[in-house]
């Protein structure tokens, strides 16, 4: 990061804080995983999974933190379809965006005696206890999409490679801007969310590494961070506030498409769609892909496919039922960047998400 000794103290302080954020992100980030280690050929294109045992008497339970978003609806549909295609019974529970309700919903699935529990925890700490209850009942737990505290009892976490996806998006942005000055606003999901934090680390890491490669220095100017609660309305409100406080913003980076889709309305109302470039560290939501195809202000997003994550989760549950135990603690889908060059390949107007 370049420093000018003639800058006012308050500017130097701001640059120091940004430097600290970047160093923390780089220091905490795990090595970027480029390969897809989630499938070994057991899962075919039809969603059928090889099994040495009869699956007809097996039940898979799934608990979502909420169903009040297209992503969660698509994830539930994928799990249900893959479960039922393989002859098993599917039970689902909705946490209704409330930690206490999600805990109760998981306890109910445990009481019903499911053979495998797929859990997407709303909070990484609050759901630890129910994973231990499941283990005591002999039920393997698979964490999907989000993360949970390492003290929990679970087989593996199945998610997109949030660090690598974020890094791909950050690298693309740094290449796009070159030596041109970036004034960045960061739109995040909610404070303390481990998935959002990893995506943010990836974005910052990708920007920094590409700048070092191409420019020989890091010039990263994150002027503000706002939380959106992973919602359209939250993104709209956050962007309205940002445009008032920081009218010189020319880049918005975000942890998820949903965080910024609402923000586009505020940007358009301010007449700044030609002045602000948007990039997302995830998800590949169809509305975002359409913007990438049709406009120049939404530069890229990265794939976080609820369909693939759902299939992989059921695949792992069946592998466990067949006796497999040597699972990695985290299992990733392949990182993938979506830009104008390949967006049409991944756009499906009829998709839930």
């Amino acid at each position: 990061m370049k420093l000018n000794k003639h800058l006012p103290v308050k500017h130097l302080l701001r640059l120091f804080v940004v430097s600290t954020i970047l160093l923390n992100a780089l220091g905490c980030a795990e090595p970027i995983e480029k390969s897809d280690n989630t499938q070994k050929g057991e899962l075919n294109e039809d969603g059928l999974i090889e099994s040495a045992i009869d699956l007809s008497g097996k039940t898979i339970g799934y608990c979502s933190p909420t169903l009040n978003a297209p992503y969660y609806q698509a994830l539930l549909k994928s799990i249900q379809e893959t479960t039922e295609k393989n002859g098993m019974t599917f039970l689902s529970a909705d946490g209704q965006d409330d930690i206490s309700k999600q805990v109760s919903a998981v306890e109910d699935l445990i009481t019903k005696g499911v053979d495998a529990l797929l859990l997407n925890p709303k909070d990484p700490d609050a759901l630890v206890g129910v994973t231990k209850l499941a283990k005591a009942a002999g039920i393997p737990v698979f964490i999907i999409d989000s993360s949970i505290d390492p003290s929990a009892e679970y087989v593996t976490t199945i998610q997109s490679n949030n660090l690598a996806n974020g890094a791909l998006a950050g690298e693309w942005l740094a290449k796009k801007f070159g030596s041109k000055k970036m004034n960045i606003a960061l739109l995040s999901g909610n404070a303390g969310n481990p998935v959002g934090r990893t995506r943010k680390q990836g974005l910052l890491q990708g920007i920094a590494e590409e700048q070092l490669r191409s420019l020989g220095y890091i010039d990263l100017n994150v002027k503000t961070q706002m939380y959106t609660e992973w919602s359209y309305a939250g993104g709209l409100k956050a962007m309205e506030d940002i445009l008032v406080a920081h009218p010189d913003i020319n880049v918005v980076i975000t942890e998820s498409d949903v965080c910024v889709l609402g923000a586009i309305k505020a940007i358009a109302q301010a007449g700044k769609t030609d002045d602000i470039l948007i990039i997302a560290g995830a998800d590949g939501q169809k509305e975002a892909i359409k913007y990438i195809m049709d406009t120049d202000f939404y530069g890229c997003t990265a794939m976080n496919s609820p369909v693939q994550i759902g299939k992989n989760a059921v695949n792992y549950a069946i592998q466990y039922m067949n006796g497999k135990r040597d699972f990695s603690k985290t299992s990733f889908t392949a990182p993938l960047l979506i830009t104008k060059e390949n967006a049409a390949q991944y756009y499906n107007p009829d998709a839930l998400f």
Side-chain angles (χ1 to χ4, degrees), residues 138-329:
I139 301 171
V141 177
F142 298 82
I143 304 299
I144 62 172
D145 179 48
S146 192
S147 298
I148 199 164
D149 187 85
S151 64
E153 296 287 352
Y154 64 100
V155 176
T156 186
T157 297
I158 301 125
Q159 59 185 208
S160 62
N161 195 325
N162 292 300
L163 185 74
N165 274 336
L168 288 173
E171 179 182 327
W172 183 93
L173 175 64
K175 287 179 178 177
K176 179 78 173 177
F177 264 70
S179 60
K180 182 183 174 183
K181 182 71 175 178
M182 289 188 284
N183 297 318
I184 299 171
L186 170 61
L187 290 182
S188 295
N190 59 295
N193 184 279
V195 169
R197 184 170 61 245
T198 302
R199 290 174 182 173
K200 176 168 56 184
Q201 289 171 357
L203 285 163
L204 297 177
Q205 181 174 336
I207 294 169
E209 289 187 346
E210 178 54 34
Q211 285 184 335
L212 286 173
R213 280 192 296 267
S214 59
L215 303 176
Y217 60 86
I218 298 172
D219 187 6
L220 181 62
N221 184 25
V222 180
K223 303 198 74 170
T224 186
Q225 177 185 27
M226 298 286 285
Y227 293 105
T228 67
E229 297 303 319
W230 309 105
S231 71
Y232 181 99
L236 172 61
K237 177 64 168 61
M239 199 68 228
E240 288 173 342
D241 292 344
I242 288 169
L243 291 173
V244 171
H246 304 280
D248 60 339
I249 288 295
N250 60 359
V251 178
V252 174
I253 64 175
T254 180
E255 296 165 7
S256 170
D257 290 322
V258 73
C259 296
V260 81
L261 287 171
I264 291 172
K265 182 177 179 180
I267 293 170
Q269 288 176 339
K272 292 196 171 186
T273 53
D274 292 333
D275 304 321
I276 296 175
L277 180 64
I278 295 167
I279 70 161
D283 285 302
Q285 189 166 340
K286 66 180 181 181
E287 291 85 358
I289 296 176
K290 190 75 165 74
Y291 276 123
I292 291 169
M293 292 168 59
D294 296 346
T295 76
D296 292 322
F297 63 77
Y298 209 127
C300 66
T301 186
M303 180 62 79
N304 174 30
S305 169
V307 174
Q308 192 61 55
I309 289 174
K311 289 179 178 179
N312 288 357
V314 178
N315 182 9
Y316 276 131
I318 291 176
Q319 289 184 35
Y320 188 95
M321 293 175 192
N322 278 270
K324 179 178 171 65
R325 294 295 182 269
D326 57 334
F327 292 89
S328 300
K329 271 319 220 185

Side-chain angles (χ1 to χ4, degrees), residues 83-96:
T83 297
E84 293 177 347
K85 278 182 181 179
N86 285 277
M88 297 179 290
T89 300
F90 176 72
L91 296 178
S92 68
D94 178 10
Q96 302 177 55

